Amino acid sequence: MAQATADHGEHEATTTGLNHRKMLMWAFLGSDCMFFGSLIATYLVYKNRSLEGPLPIDVFSIPTTSVSTFVLLMSSMSMVLAYSALRRNRMKTFRVWLASTAIMGMTFLAFQVFEFRVFANHEVVVDCHAPIGELSIVELSVRNDKTVGCEATGHDEVEKQVGLTPKTNLFGSTFFTLTGFHGAHVTIGVIWLLTMFFLSFKKGMVTPERNLDLDLAALYWHFVDIVWIIIFTVVYLFGVFPGFA
Amino acid sequence: MSTVPFAIPRPTYPTGVWSWITTIDHKKIGVLYGVTAFVLFIIGGLEALLMRIQLTSSNQDIVSPEVFNQLFTMHGTTMIFLAVMPLSAAFFNFVIPLQIGARDVAFPRLNAFSYWTFLGGAILLNSSWFLGGATNAGWFGYAPLTSIEQNPGHGIDFWIISLQVLGVASLAAAFNFVVTIINMRAPGMSFMRLPLFTWMTFITAILLVLAFPVITVALIELYMDRTFGMNFFNVAAGGDPVLWQHLFWVFGHPEVYILILPAMGIVSEIIPTFSKKPLFGYGTVVLAGAIIAFMGWMVWSHHMFTVGLGPIPTSVFVITTMAIAVPTGIKVFNWMATIWGGSVDFKAPMLFAVGFIALFTIGGLSGVMHAAASSDAQQQDTYFIVAHIHYVLFGGAIVAIIGGIYYWFPKITGRMYNEMMAKVNFWVMFIGMNMAFFPMHFLGLDGMPRRIYTYDSNMGWDFWNGVSTVGVLVLGTSFLIFIINIVTSWRSGETAEADPWDGRTLEWSIASPPPEYNFEVIPTVYDRDAWWAEKRGKVQHGVPVGGGSDEEEHSIHMPQPSYWPLIVSIGLIISAYGLVFHSGNFIVASVGLLIGVIGVYAWAFEPVNEPE
Amino acid sequence: MFIVNLRSRRIFSFAVIGAIFVLMLGCTPSHNQSTFDPLGPVAANQLFIFNVIFWVAAVIFVAVEAALIYMFVKFRRQPGDGDPIQVHGNPKMEIAWTIIPALILVIAAVPTIDGIFFAANPPPNPAGGPALEVDAIGRQWFFEFQYADPNDASKKIVIANELHMPVAEPVVFRLDSRDVIHSFWVPKLGGKVDMIPNNDNSLWLQADEVGEFYGQCAEFCGVSHANMRFKVIVESRTDFDAWLQEQAAPAAETVDPLALAGKDQFRSANCIFCHSTGRGSGIGPNLSHVASRLNLVGLLPNAEEGSFVVNDAMLQENLKRWLTDPDEIKPGNIMSREADAYNKPEFALDESDVDALVAYLMTLK
């Protein structure tokens, strides 16, 4: 009698009729809300309080991040399709959509890694003839830099690498910690999905009767997606659009 | 079976050390929690004793300031996270399934994991004494004193990582009890028929689920600052130490309700049982508990009245804090109304329960004094607060827990404790407690700050400090009496019957100690105080609420023991040591993580042994 | 045992009287940091609020404890008792004991909030003009105070460990810290406010009597938190102005050969790296007028009890003790940990060095 998990499986009698593990996942997600809520609160408390270094408007590329956001959003859709296929015993379709979800998740993570690298290597270019009042904090610091600044070099345009890392300023610390932990959650989700994918090739491990296992993974995946929507809105969009920044 | 990965058969040790190591039985886990937590309570008490000896009179140097600062930090951290919380967990574990008519909790292996992780966290934290020095910045760890510049050793890292580990244990347990209480109640046991202790446990579990992540984030941010040079609390980069305080106390205030609600639940069981009357205003007491838990999220900055938040935020928190005294007061009055008109047997558990009311009232009233931010500006950070804390946490939580231990001792061990010794225990503890902590009210109002390792002889503080130390010695004696009583009674006490107290709730309807499967037949519940109703013949045979039991069709299924919860815990602890002693590449931490992940997979795919 | 009759009523009255007696023992206004001896309006307001709540709480306390004792006696199970009436509740009573405490709390909240705003807003200076402002800066483990120079408002006078205030005038303290969180507390003048880096906290205090008041740091700040104490000297306006002028004057020049040798030592042992004898605020306390202070390092008295005149013999002994082994007096202090004179053998001070330094420091009046 091969069972992936011990005890009664999905058909134990419960007081509410809801499966224990489903309830556990919801309780866990409630907790995780508070976790991300605290990280986002920290980010918001420190917004606009960095004393130096790049700010959101200096480094964010909304077009790029919109693509990765879209990919993650679509992965939730493929997740739903995978679950639906499993329920209807369309195993091949199920595997295709499950694999797509995992691949889109990995794509999102790849975008994150790429983006973090770009931030770390961020170069600031300053036009020495631009009015000082229009320069951001970091542009000013490059303009006045003792080695490569406008007065120091006498050039019309100066540049310097002022990367954004977790150590750089308040923005760097809060941003990378928040998005880093989100990325860790996505990674765990991808591992979970890939596990289910490979397990589905073993007879009897992933079946329509045992769709709860996938249902739990899907819940988690959707949660991680929703958290990203919030991060994208509060951190990225509110970070660059006037009136919110 | 060979088609399943990680197909190691489940352990089957019926007795002996291995049966304890691989157990997933909630009753055994409850005992493990209780014994472990009590040992840690004694350790915390010894830390306090050393401090009190140092403070007995002015200008002593029995204990150096470096050690003293570690002592008060470890005392606070130990008592809150390693004593009171796990002692409450011991009761959750043993009692809840019995009170709701279940055979175990919803996730027995997760339950075992909670215990082993707690034990690991306790060992981790206390190993710091021998590995370079314990944490020394207070149990509340205010930034920037916890920064790497101020505190370059590993002590703070031990504190951070231990609390994270303990957080994992607490969260796992909280998830378990939320699901268990919602989803495993016997047929007919609606929420408004739950025993009060189960209700308070449920509310506490929800608080845990929501509050712990906040301190998790605060600790992560501090660890990031210390380990990776980030800027969360770096003043030079514009960081604000007050952010730490907000995050900590948003967790910290619900935490104090996590500490007291289970104790209130215990008292709410003992008083009706020994008064032979139902709890007065059951619905009100439940609602008051829920309101306290809800409002507990709105008062956190009363720990920050001197931080300079500004008169308007301060005033708001004054109002919310005073407001929370109302549901607390309601509970006290309802308990008293339960006793009133009862036929009261003042056996030891009842003495402790009444003692709880007497002492918690004092703590609650000094709490209202703190709520007044203006006068609190004189009281904050003085011994007046230390007095308040100990009246609510010792006079409240600990006294209730000791009462609970005596109350459920027959059920857990199958033996009766020595009643005369237990009564003496109570009176010695009551006297010692008041001697130790009442003078602290005077010292605080006399201007003695807290967390000081010494004071000058011309301050006039010598006398009451001396009295307090004597009180602590009396308290220590009371615990010696307790230990002797418990140990000798467990070994050779009189055999206990199933229902020695003429109890009201379901745990008294089964043998003492209960069989592994708890109930031969899952009971059907028709009323609140289900067992009392059955005994007194007041059963109304109506329609049971909720799903029926499916056990007519199958024989009793019991969950099976497992190695994997312990393995995952071990992986977690190895990881934890790796994070404390990180050396740049986190190899040890990764090894621990790997062990943990393997353990989780094995756990997920663990087969069920074929039934015999 | 207990019988409800005259005897138990007597016992009960004794208990109450005894309790009141014990409680009164707790009020010791004569102690140095007692909050029951308010000598300024802020402290007085805060004590008033405390008293309001305390007496209400005392009534509730007596009522609850008396009720418990009564129940302890009256409802004891007697042999042969059956089950008592199974009362499930009484909504009217429950509503009553919800509303009445809420009303009591409202009564407590009103003066409380009034007090919060009172303590937050300094009153105008009765002598006219703005209130005196002092910067109070918490350092590990001493208090630094900065006053505006009376002769040049753009400059500051920097002192440590001793605060002077004119009597009967509000003084505004702007609080800051150079390292960790400290807290500024003079119990007889008012409650504390924390000194937090990157935060601009402030409080106002007023002393209505001349005298010497005790202050102490009230937020755990590290090894020698217990030793972070200061004194507040409250004097007449005239005396205060005179004192401020003295502090504004440059450090005294000396011709005494031993003191001059000490002055050289001060430079060669690198004391000057951390301690300014001018207007500076360095790593260590400003020493330009150290010999005029009534206590050394906030802990060692330089004057007889109750005297406001420095006793040179006491000062000399304290300076010698401190310079010989500072860690014995203030464990973990930064000078012991990091100063060259205590960490590098080539800068170490022998007894004659210490004597010279003491002689020099004693000239800094």
Side-chain angles (χ1 to χ4, degrees):
Chain A
M1 189 178 71
Q3 281 190 32
T5 53
D7 308 329
H8 310 280
E10 298 162 32
H11 307 293
E12 65 226 317
T14 64
T15 311
T16 58
L18 284 171
N19 183 278
H20 288 335
R21 287 189 291 146
K22 191 114 184 245
M23 205 175 281
L24 175 68
M25 177 53 78
W26 278 108
F28 169 74
L29 294 180
S31 202
D32 223 6
C33 270
M34 293 300 286
F35 178 79
F36 279 107
S38 305
L39 284 171
I40 293 174
T42 301
Y43 177 85
L44 289 173
V45 162
Y46 280 150
K47 197 165 159 204
N48 294 333
R49 283 166 62 161
S50 292
L51 298 178
E52 53 170 16
L55 296 177
I57 204 148
D58 296 316
V59 291
F60 282 163
S61 160
I62 298 299
T64 314
T65 317
S66 298
V67 172
S68 64
T69 304
F70 181 72
V71 167
L72 199 62
L73 216 52
M74 287 300 106
S75 75
S76 265
M77 189 184 79
S78 63
M79 184 83 241
V80 170
L81 291 169
Y83 180 68
S84 162
L86 179 64
R87 288 286 297 265
R88 290 175 293 133
N89 203 11
R90 307 265 198 276
M91 294 312 286
K92 264 214 176 67
T93 317
F94 155 68
R95 283 196 202 104
V96 165
W97 285 122
L98 184 62
S100 309
T101 311
I103 289 170
M104 283 192 264
M106 290 190 276
T107 307
F108 173 83
L109 288 172
F111 265 88
Q112 293 291 78
V113 170
F114 166 74
E115 191 182 41
F116 292 176
R117 275 212 143 114
V118 166
F119 290 179
N121 297 326
H122 176 68
E123 217 171 57
V124 176
V125 178
V126 183
D127 174 6
C128 288
H129 301 298
I132 291 192
E134 287 175 16
L135 296 180
S136 70
I137 301 176
V138 70
E139 283 171 337
L140 256 176
S141 72
V142 170
R143 186 188 203 280
N144 298 333
D145 189 275
K146 301 256 183 339
T147 336
V148 302
C150 295
E151 277 181 30
T153 58
H155 294 163
D156 293 324
E157 200 181 73
V158 291
E159 61 195 31
K160 186 178 181 202
Q161 192 178 83
V162 188
L164 179 75
T165 69
K167 286 191 196 201
T168 309
N169 55 11
L170 295 177
F171 169 54
S173 299
T174 55
F175 172 79
F176 283 109
T177 305
L178 171 60
T179 53
F181 272 99
H182 175 263
H185 277 72
V186 174
T187 307
I188 292 173
V190 167
I191 294 174
W192 192 350
L193 295 177
L194 288 175
T195 305
M196 294 214 74
F197 177 77
F198 288 115
L199 219 51
S200 72
F201 290 103
K202 238 190 177 85
K203 218 161 165 43
M205 293 302 290
V206 182
T207 69
E209 292 75 36
R210 294 171 52 176
N211 66 76
L212 177 71
D213 294 334
L214 188 68
D215 196 7
L216 295 176
L219 255 179
Y220 175 79
W221 191 259
H222 294 314
F223 172 76
V224 168
D225 194 3
I226 293 174
V227 170
W228 179 254
I229 305 297
I230 298 174
I231 293 176
F232 181 62
T233 310
V234 169
V235 173
Y236 286 84
L237 296 180
F238 286 11
V240 301
F241 289 131
F244 291 102
Chain B
M1 209 89 93
S2 54
T3 56
V4 174
F6 305 100
I8 304 175
R10 301 254 223 171
T12 49
Y13 306 94
T15 53
V17 174
W18 276 102
S19 75
W20 286 89
I21 293 177
T22 57
T23 187
I24 45 78
D25 178 352
H26 71 98
K27 300 182 284 298
K28 279 207 161 85
I29 293 173
V31 170
L32 284 171
Y33 260 113
V35 172
T36 311
F38 190 76
V39 168
L40 287 157
F41 174 75
I42 297 297
I43 293 177
L46 290 171
E47 286 159 353
L49 184 61
L50 281 170
M51 286 193 281
R52 281 273 20 118
I53 291 174
Q54 162 68 9
L55 288 172
T56 307
S57 61
S58 48
N59 291 323
Q60 298 204 113
D61 56 9
I62 297 168
V63 167
S64 74
E66 288 82 2
V67 171
F68 188 90
N69 296 342
Q70 292 172 53
L71 284 172
F72 77 70
T73 305
M74 289 294 281
H75 168 76
T77 309
T78 296
M79 287 309 198
I80 290 173
F81 295 101
L82 303 181
V84 175
M85 285 175 78
L87 281 169
S88 301
F91 289 113
F92 300 161
N93 267 283
F94 199 94
V95 174
I96 297 295
L98 302 183
Q99 285 198 334
I100 63 175
R103 299 200 184 289
D104 206 310
V105 293
F107 301 103
R109 289 175 298 171
L110 189 65
N111 205 13
F113 169 75
S114 294
Y115 169 72
W116 293 113
T117 306
F118 151 64
L119 178 64
I123 292 174
L124 178 68
L125 182 66
N126 280 286
S127 67
S128 64
W129 285 113
F130 312 109
L131 293 173
T135 176
N136 63 2
W139 84 275
F140 50 93
Y142 277 0
L145 191 56
T146 46
S147 66
I148 194 78
E149 295 83 12
Q150 285 282 336
N151 239 306
H154 288 295
I156 301 291
D157 298 310
F158 268 109
W159 178 73
I160 293 173
I161 303 297
S162 307
L163 286 182
Q164 299 288 48
V165 168
L166 293 166
V168 170
S170 290
L171 277 173
F175 293 142
N176 219 338
F177 284 102
V178 166
V179 178
T180 302
I181 293 172
I182 294 178
N183 236 7
M184 292 184 75
R185 289 168 282 140
M189 186 165 279
S190 64
F191 265 94
M192 292 312 272
R193 290 180 185 165
L194 281 178
L196 224 298
F197 180 66
T198 304
W199 252 118
M200 293 301 114
T201 303
F202 181 61
I203 295 173
T204 303
I206 294 176
L207 278 177
L208 278 164
V209 163
L210 297 174
F212 251 97
V214 184
I215 194 179
T216 305
V217 165
L219 291 167
I220 286 173
E221 293 176 358
L222 181 61
Y223 186 80
M224 293 293 173
D225 273 12
R226 288 177 62 86
T227 312
F228 300 113
M230 294 202 200
N231 300 304
F232 290 100
F233 310 112
N234 178 2
V235 168
D240 190 353
V242 178
L243 174 65
W244 168 269
Q245 294 191 33
H246 280 298
L247 286 171
F248 184 83
W249 287 116
V250 168
F251 155 77
H253 198 82
E255 167 68 11
V256 317
Y257 296 117
I258 289 168
L259 294 171
I260 201 65
L261 284 174
M264 291 179 162
I266 294 175
V267 163
S268 304
E269 297 287 335
I270 293 176
I271 290 182
T273 300
F274 287 88
S275 307
K276 287 207 176 316
K277 280 176 67 203
L279 181 64
F280 189 93
Y282 170 95
T284 313
V285 176
V286 168
L287 186 64
I291 290 178
I292 290 172
F294 179 71
M295 289 179 67
W297 291 94
M298 304 179 205
V299 301
W300 81 89
S301 280
H302 67 223
H303 300 272
M304 298 163 65
F305 275 154
T306 57
V307 164
L309 299 171
I312 294 177
T314 303
S315 302
V316 169
F317 281 102
V318 165
I319 294 171
T320 55
T321 305
M322 287 187 172
I324 212 168
V326 174
T328 315
I330 289 174
K331 290 187 140 197
V332 170
F333 300 133
N334 277 46
W335 287 319
M336 290 169 65
T338 308
I339 304 175
W340 194 279
S343 170
V344 189
D345 191 355
F346 282 100
K347 292 226 160 52
M350 187 60 177
L351 283 176
F352 280 95
V354 174
F356 168 94
I357 299 177
L359 297 169
F360 182 78
T361 298
I362 297 176
L365 290 170
S366 63
V368 173
M369 293 180 208
H370 298 327
S374 352
S375 40
D376 181 62
Q378 292 280 37
Q379 299 159 14
Q380 166 69 347
D381 265 301
T382 68
Y383 265 82
F384 196 76
I385 305 260
V386 180
H388 163 73
I389 297 171
H390 287 91
Y391 266 86
V392 287
L393 283 178
F394 190 100
I398 293 291
V399 163
I401 286 171
I402 302 292
I405 292 176
Y406 280 124
Y407 179 58
W408 279 301
F409 187 84
K411 183 57 53 184
I412 297 173
T413 64
R415 297 191 180 275
M416 292 304 286
Y417 59 83
N418 182 315
E419 184 63 47
M420 175 51 65
M421 214 190 288
K423 288 197 163 97
V424 169
N425 183 180
F426 170 74
W427 287 109
V428 176
M429 192 180 288
F430 190 80
I431 292 169
M433 189 273 168
N434 283 299
M435 254 182 105
F437 300 115
F438 204 82
M440 292 184 179
H441 292 108
F442 305 150
L443 287 168
L445 294 174
D446 208 25
M448 181 173 175
R450 58 189 295 205
R451 301 169 183 144
I452 54 175
Y453 73 97
T454 192
Y455 51 92
D456 210 354
S457 51
N458 67 345
M459 301 307 289
W461 296 334
D462 286 63
F463 176 69
W464 287 120
N465 269 296
V467 171
S468 177
T469 303
V470 173
V472 167
L473 291 170
V474 173
L475 257 187
T477 311
S478 78
F479 278 101
L480 277 171
I481 300 174
F482 175 76
I483 293 171
I484 293 172
N485 197 353
I486 296 296
V487 170
T488 53
S489 303
W490 205 324
R491 284 226 177 102
S492 50
E494 213 182 287
T495 312
E497 38 181 279
D499 188 8
W501 314 124
D502 193 16
R504 308 178 77 87
T505 44
L506 286 176
E507 72 268 32
W508 305 108
S509 69
I510 55 181
S512 299
E516 197 205 333
Y517 48 81
N518 297 347
F519 298 88
E520 250 180 62
V521 176
I522 299 287
T524 305
V525 169
Y526 296 96
D527 204 351
R528 202 178 287 162
D529 283 342
W531 177 233
W532 177 274
E534 213 174 295
K535 284 189 294 187
R536 295 303 195 266
K538 294 207 175 46
V539 172
Q540 302 132 34
H541 289 268
V543 178
V545 172
S549 166
D550 65 350
E551 285 187 338
E552 289 75 7
E553 298 102 67
H554 317 287
S555 56
I556 296 177
H557 284 295
M558 287 308 294
Q560 295 185 327
S562 171
Y563 300 106
W564 298 110
L566 177 57
I567 305 283
V568 177
S569 285
I570 291 175
L572 185 60
I573 299 305
I574 293 175
S575 231
Y577 273 102
L579 291 174
V580 170
F581 289 106
H582 58 87
S583 52
N585 35 24
F586 293 92
I587 289 182
V588 174
S590 305
V591 167
L593 179 64
L594 188 61
I595 295 174
V597 169
I598 292 174
V600 167
Y601 268 88
W603 178 339
F605 295 115
E606 189 167 30
V608 182
N609 283 353
E610 302 294 358
E612 300 86 35
Chain C
M1 291 207 304
F2 287 91
I3 310 164
V4 185
N5 61 8
L6 184 63
R7 184 163 157 266
S8 70
R9 250 183 262 148
R10 280 223 190 94
I11 293 172
F12 185 68
S13 337
F14 264 121
V16 171
I17 293 171
I20 295 178
F21 176 70
V22 165
L23 285 175
M24 308 239 11
L25 278 181
C27 304
T28 40
S30 59
H31 288 173
N32 292 326
Q33 284 180 199
S34 172
T35 61
F36 289 107
D37 185 22
L39 292 168
V42 179
N45 172 267
Q46 291 166 345
L47 181 62
F48 164 71
I49 292 164
F50 172 76
N51 280 327
V52 167
I53 301 181
F54 172 76
W55 286 109
V56 171
V59 168
I60 296 173
F61 166 73
V62 168
V64 169
E65 308 296 353
L68 285 173
I69 295 173
Y70 178 75
M71 288 189 273
F72 196 75
V73 171
K74 170 90 175 174
F75 297 110
R76 246 174 214 279
R77 187 173 309 163
Q78 305 301 334
D81 268 2
D83 291 341
I85 304 174
Q86 302 287 292
V87 176
H88 289 271
N90 183 329
K92 285 213 185 79
M93 289 182 74
E94 291 172 270
I95 292 174
W97 65 56
T98 307
I99 295 194
I100 294 174
L103 287 173
I104 293 175
L105 287 167
V106 168
I107 295 173
V110 171
T112 301
I113 294 179
D114 186 61
I116 293 170
F117 281 88
F118 177 69
N121 299 315
N125 187 347
L132 176 67
E133 281 189 10
V134 180
D135 292 333
I137 301 165
R139 321 278 302 270
Q140 280 169 321
W141 288 276
F142 65 97
F143 284 87
E144 181 177 283
F145 302 110
Q146 294 188 5
Y147 291 79
D149 186 334
N151 308 315
D152 179 354
S154 66
K155 299 217 176 77
K156 290 269 188 216
I157 302 171
V158 179
I159 35 180
N161 294 323
E162 189 171 291
L163 178 68
H164 283 242
M165 286 169 67
V167 70
E169 277 183 45
V171 177
V172 173
F173 296 94
R174 288 191 295 245
L175 306 175
D176 195 6
S177 164
R178 289 281 158 76
D179 36 48
V180 298
I181 303 180
H182 301 275
S183 193
F184 180 89
W185 190 31
V186 185
K188 295 204 177 186
L189 296 184
K192 63 192 70 71
V193 177
D194 292 348
M195 305 157 107
I196 306 176
N198 263 358
N199 277 257
D200 54 2
N201 289 349
S202 67
L203 86 155
W204 74 272
L205 295 175
Q206 177 174 318
D208 287 336
E209 267 179 41
V210 165
E212 184 189 36
F213 298 82
Y214 280 61
Q216 187 162 6
C217 173
E219 182 61 57
F220 179 65
C221 52
V223 170
S224 257
H225 165 61
N227 299 321
M228 189 168 158
R229 311 174 198 164
F230 66 105
K231 292 278 169 56
V232 181
I233 310 298
V234 179
E235 48 203 355
S236 70
R237 227 316 152 169
T238 334
D239 287 345
F240 171 77
D241 286 335
W243 170 83
L244 197 58
Q245 286 293 347
E246 271 171 44
Q247 301 293 317
E253 293 294 333
T254 181
V255 295
D256 172 47
L258 185 60
L260 282 172
K263 192 169 177 181
D264 281 334
Q265 265 295 333
F266 193 81
R267 211 164 303 134
S268 62
N270 289 338
C271 309
I272 198 111
F273 281 7
C274 300
H275 290 284
S276 165
T277 48
R279 291 291 188 85
S281 162
I283 297 171
N286 181 300
L287 296 177
S288 50
H289 299 278
V290 62
S292 71
R293 299 201 195 128
L294 291 170
N295 66 87
L296 190 66
V297 303
L299 292 175
L300 305 173
N302 293 333
E304 310 285 353
E305 184 83 32
S307 162
F308 293 94
V309 177
V310 172
N311 176 320
D312 277 353
M314 291 174 78
L315 172 62
Q316 184 171 35
E317 204 201 299
N318 289 337
L319 281 167
K320 185 157 181 170
R321 256 186 85 193
W322 172 253
L323 289 174
T324 312
D325 188 1
D327 205 63
E328 185 245 321
I329 295 170
K330 222 180 224 186
N333 76 79
I334 293 176
M335 187 168 87
S336 298
R337 277 195 344 234
E338 295 179 14
D340 288 339
Y342 297 94
N343 289 287
K344 292 192 179 147
E346 62 267 33
F347 292 97
L349 306 169
D350 60 31
E351 196 174 346
S352 64
D353 294 331
V354 169
D355 287 334
L357 279 168
V358 169
Y360 168 58
L361 292 170
M362 289 195 60
T363 67
L364 299 175
K365 289 221 174 273

